[in-house]
Amino acid sequence: MQVKVVIGTVAFMLTMMILGFAALREPARMEAFSRAAVGRSIETGAEIFANNCATCHGVNGEAKECYDTAGNQIGCKGLPLNSKGLVCGDRPARLEAMNWVGSKEAFIKQTVAAGRVGTAMPTWSERFGGPMRDDQIDNVVAFVLNWESEELCSQPDITFDWPESVDDFLAEFPEGDAANGEALYLSYGCIGCHGDVTQEGSNAVGPWLGEIAEVGATREEGKSAAQYVYESILDPNAFIAPDCPTGPCTSPSAMPGNFAERMAANPQDMADLLTFLLGSGE
Ligand code: HEC
Ligand code: HEC
């Protein structure tokens, strides 16, 4: 009798200890579990990105290196996503620029799900007529957000005060390199919208720029072609060109508005692009 009570008591206490220990470990177990789930989500997102997004946003999301399905390098039509201005901190610069009041997660998710009307950014969510389920959207968004890293986010903010007049700009950057300008026309993705400057009609979204050295001078009263092209790149909405390939160009402009920011790191890029588009004789 006594022995049974002792055994019963010990068994009871052991059970309680094991249960209690398991309960104590539960939060840690849950955390490890959700970390693993996030890791899997990012991994799946990476695959979705490579198959659906890299053609426009680049293999590393930097909008620098884009390839078509045959493996040929093409101009990137999309914006950099692996960028400080989009993924770093709670209020990345891009949210301010776009007047977005919600979180960056919501900004990215909304853009991916619904696309951007009037731009090359397609709609991805089934909810808006796209091809992806909610979980696929969540995974690719997790992958994009995962670019936030100490290395990326500790980069200094680079700004450049673009002079209003192209002549003042060119006084600072007089040596435009046409060959490099041609490479930049590809790597900044101009070619994806404006086409090959040597082939009229090769433009998909924006006007063909093969004759912009002459046409540019006629766009706005009193503006030289150089001034006009310079302003078109820095502030696409300042003036909307008349003719796009599928009809009149629409406002707001389908041309990305952040080249001023992107070229701030290297204003010489602007000089090279101007020389490529306008020739060195301007
Ligand atoms: C056909 C080209 C194309 C494809 C494919 C594409 N995008 Fe985009 N994306 C764009 C363009 C162009 C923009 C810029 C739109 C604008 O000017 O507002 C953009 C913008 C974005 C933005 C907002 C960036 C910002 O700074 O405002 C996000 C986020 C984004 N894309 C994610 C994706 C993801 C994720 C995929 C794949 C599921 C994808 N995109 C596929 C062309 C593309
Ligand atoms: C996502 C597509 C897209 C990209 C990328 C793009 N543009 Fe544009 N661009 C347009 C559209 C659409 C217009 C016409 C609407 C307007 O005037 O803003 C335009 C207008 C222009 C004009 C005025 C053309 C005219 O006939 O008056 C110039 C010059 C220009 N872009 C240069 C560039 C350069 C240089 C780049 C690369 C650094 C570039 N664009 C990148 C879509 C794009």
Side-chain angles (χ1 to χ4, degrees):
M1 193 63 197
Q2 277 283 27
V3 175
K4 273 190 185 165
V5 171
V6 170
I7 290 175
T9 312
V10 169
F12 175 76
M13 282 171 65
L14 270 175
T15 312
M16 289 311 285
M17 277 166 69
I18 291 166
L19 281 176
F21 185 67
L24 277 177
R25 280 189 41 88
E26 186 58 15
R29 198 181 68 85
M30 284 300 290
E31 200 180 298
F33 179 77
S34 71
R35 258 203 315 275
V38 171
R40 270 197 305 278
S41 168
I42 292 170
E43 236 172 77
T44 314
E47 209 179 310
I48 294 173
F49 187 87
N51 293 334
N52 299 279
C53 321
T55 42
C56 289
H57 290 286
V59 278
N60 291 315
E62 293 171 334
K64 282 187 183 150
E65 250 187 276
C66 296
Y67 299 93
D68 65 15
T69 44
N72 304 307
Q73 189 164 7
I74 52 170
C76 299
K77 283 190 199 169
L79 296 173
L81 305 178
N82 183 355
S83 91
K84 185 180 175 186
L86 182 67
V87 298
C88 288
D90 291 337
R91 292 292 304 162
R94 186 70 178 146
L95 303 197
E96 301 297 343
M98 298 290 282
N99 286 321
W100 181 266
V101 290
S103 69
K104 70 178 170 190
E105 286 83 356
F107 175 78
I108 293 172
K109 190 168 171 176
Q110 172 68 20
T111 308
V112 177
R116 287 251 170 92
V117 178
T119 78
M121 174 64 184
T123 297
W124 292 100
S125 170
E126 294 178 334
R127 293 169 187 270
F128 298 93
M132 287 187 196
R133 296 185 311 266
D134 287 352
D135 61 302
Q136 294 172 309
I137 300 280
D138 289 344
N139 291 340
V140 78
V141 169
F143 175 69
V144 169
L145 287 168
N146 191 49
W147 270 314
E148 179 176 25
S149 70
E150 208 161 309
E151 197 196 341
L152 178 71
C153 302
S154 59
Q155 284 172 4
D157 278 322
I158 300 162
T159 57
F160 178 75
D161 236 343
W162 296 96
E164 240 168 75
S165 145
V166 72
D167 295 333
D168 292 345
F169 170 75
L170 290 174
E172 270 182 82
F173 296 91
E175 307 273 338
D177 175 342
N180 193 50
E182 182 169 10
L184 294 168
Y185 185 77
L186 177 79
S187 62
Y188 275 114
C190 320
I191 200 169
C193 292
H194 290 287
D196 180 339
V197 294
T198 64
Q199 273 179 57
E200 190 164 3
S202 57
N203 48 321
V205 180
W208 182 60
L209 299 180
E211 283 164 0
I212 197 68
E214 295 86 57
V215 176
T218 67
R219 287 277 189 253
E220 285 184 276
E221 186 90 41
K223 274 185 193 165
S224 67
Q227 182 68 31
Y228 175 72
V229 171
Y230 177 73
E231 285 179 22
S232 296
I233 297 170
L234 293 179
D235 186 5
N237 281 307
F239 178 89
I240 300 294
D243 300 314
C244 279
T246 53
C249 303
T250 51
S251 176
S253 178
M255 178 159 156
N258 66 350
F259 285 118
E261 229 173 288
R262 291 169 68 188
M263 290 182 194
N266 201 356
Q268 182 65 43
D269 288 357
M270 171 67 88
D272 295 353
L273 274 166
L274 290 175
T275 304
F276 168 62
L277 289 171
L278 300 165
S280 43
E282 44 83 32

